[in-house]
Amino acid sequence: MQIYQGYDAYFKAHPPRSHQTLSFHHHLRNGDDVLCDVMAYYQNCDRLTLMPSSLFPVHAPGLTRLIEEGRIDALYTNYLSGPLAHTLRQHPLKGQLHLDTHGGRAHRLMNHITPLDVAYLAVPAVDHHGRLSGLEGPSACGSLGYATADANVAKRVVVITDHYVEALAGKHFTFPRIDAIIVTPRLGQRQGIESGTTKMRLHPLHDVIARKTMHALDTMGLLKDTLSFQTGAGSISLRITALLKDYLAQHHYTARFASGGITALHTQMLQEGLVKKLYD
């Protein structure tokens, strides 16, 4: 496991190559700098396949020219918004733009349907022993579940962090293999994590749907003590989670567990004793 101080040092030792499949995860969402920082070194490469788990407006500067010049053959992702969507309409890929579910992407990776050459994985905290955490450092973003499939199958696993320490203080995890660690001044903008689907927007129709959903759950007798639930990070799901939080508190109920996408609402419910466990 080699440690590199900055991208220049890493790419000097491992020059970017054409005909590569590259992956990234999106836990930093619209605050992520890593994809653009890495792709800046691939601007003269061709026949690239990209597998970012999701793409946000912040990623447009790193990919627009590559798409316009036809250097990206195929793109596999789960979510795409902002200027990149417009660019892809104007400049179709030679191969395919494949939109998948998060689970479908993991299945594609784990079954080697699309073999992965290099996984560039942003990790908010890394220590000297190769232990990892999403809970420490200036870019702490929580669980890093979307990165695990990439780390399991990539021919080369590159971890990128802005918080490299002698030893992590709290809970940690490991990847099966880490080939290189790049230490960079900044992974991104933390305030951009709450963006896109994780940000509750004012929308009267979403309020109506959420309240009708709660009414249906109540009518079916599903809103009871020790219930368990899964809600994602969409605008309607966030509203349902907020209503469910109020319902549990009002009736002095405690959910056995909640699974996600975990959002701030879920963690508030855990802290307030309204749910016993969270699964991400």
Side-chain angles (χ1 to χ4, degrees):
M1 183 174 64
Q2 292 288 108
I3 313 296
Y4 296 90
Q5 296 297 324
Y7 291 105
D8 285 347
Y10 173 79
F11 283 108
K12 183 178 180 180
H14 303 278
R17 293 159 44 196
S18 298
H19 300 266
Q20 293 262 287
T21 299
L22 315 174
S23 80
F24 304 83
H25 72 73
H26 76 283
H27 290 285
L28 296 174
R29 303 179 70 83
N30 204 40
D32 173 53
D33 284 349
V34 169
L35 185 145
C36 290
D37 289 344
V38 169
M39 294 312 299
Y41 292 86
Y42 283 87
Q43 293 296 310
N44 294 318
C45 295
D46 293 301
R47 305 298 301 273
L48 298 171
T49 296
L50 263 58
M51 297 187 71
S53 53
S54 284
L55 290 170
F56 291 84
V58 72
H59 296 132
L63 297 182
T64 298
R65 187 166 76 85
L66 288 164
I67 294 170
E68 290 175 347
E69 295 180 357
R71 296 183 183 273
I72 297 175
D73 278 6
L75 182 57
Y76 297 84
T77 190
N78 304 337
Y79 176 83
L80 173 65
S81 68
L84 281 175
H86 177 75
T87 299
L88 285 164
R89 283 195 295 268
Q90 300 299 317
H91 303 274
L93 302 174
K94 298 172 186 175
Q96 62 174 319
L97 168 61
H98 185 98
L99 297 178
D100 210 340
T101 62
H102 288 307
R105 177 181 181 274
H107 178 269
R108 173 175 292 276
L109 285 167
M110 296 300 289
N111 288 275
H112 303 278
I113 297 170
T114 303
L116 179 57
D117 293 303
V118 188
Y120 291 103
L121 304 177
V123 177
V126 182
D127 72 13
H128 182 68
H129 307 285
R131 295 177 298 200
L132 316 170
S133 175
L135 304 177
E136 297 183 33
S139 301
C141 61
S143 172
L144 296 171
Y146 295 126
T148 54
D150 309 56
N152 272 277
V153 303
K155 297 174 185 175
R156 184 169 185 80
V157 177
V158 180
V159 166
I160 302 157
T161 189
D162 56 6
H163 189 67
Y164 182 69
V165 296
E166 182 65 25
L168 291 174
K171 293 184 178 181
H172 58 266
F173 67 99
T174 59
F175 286 149
R177 188 186 80 256
I178 298 174
D179 297 292
I181 296 173
I182 300 174
V183 181
T184 183
R186 190 181 73 177
L187 291 183
Q189 301 282 348
R190 235 186 126 175
Q191 61 268 29
I193 294 174
E194 187 184 24
S195 58
T197 58
T198 62
K199 193 167 187 177
M200 200 182 300
R201 299 178 301 278
L202 293 174
H203 200 304
L205 179 59
H206 292 182
D207 287 332
V208 171
I209 294 172
R211 294 189 182 281
K212 285 184 176 291
T213 299
M214 287 293 293
H215 177 71
L217 294 173
D218 192 24
T219 301
M220 291 187 286
L222 296 175
L223 297 179
K224 54 189 178 183
D225 200 14
T226 72
L227 63 86
S228 57
F229 68 95
Q230 187 273 329
T231 49
S235 179
I236 295 171
S237 291
L238 289 171
R239 281 168 167 76
I240 293 172
T241 305
L243 292 172
L244 184 56
K245 178 177 181 289
D246 292 341
Y247 186 95
L248 293 174
Q250 179 183 349
H251 290 80
H252 305 288
Y253 288 168
T254 302
R256 293 197 316 279
F257 70 85
S259 63
I262 297 300
T263 66
L265 281 169
H266 295 90
T267 57
Q268 288 168 17
M269 293 172 75
L270 182 70
Q271 291 163 350
E272 294 172 17
L274 298 175
V275 61
K276 290 184 178 179
K277 292 184 179 180
L278 297 182
Y279 295 104
D280 185 71

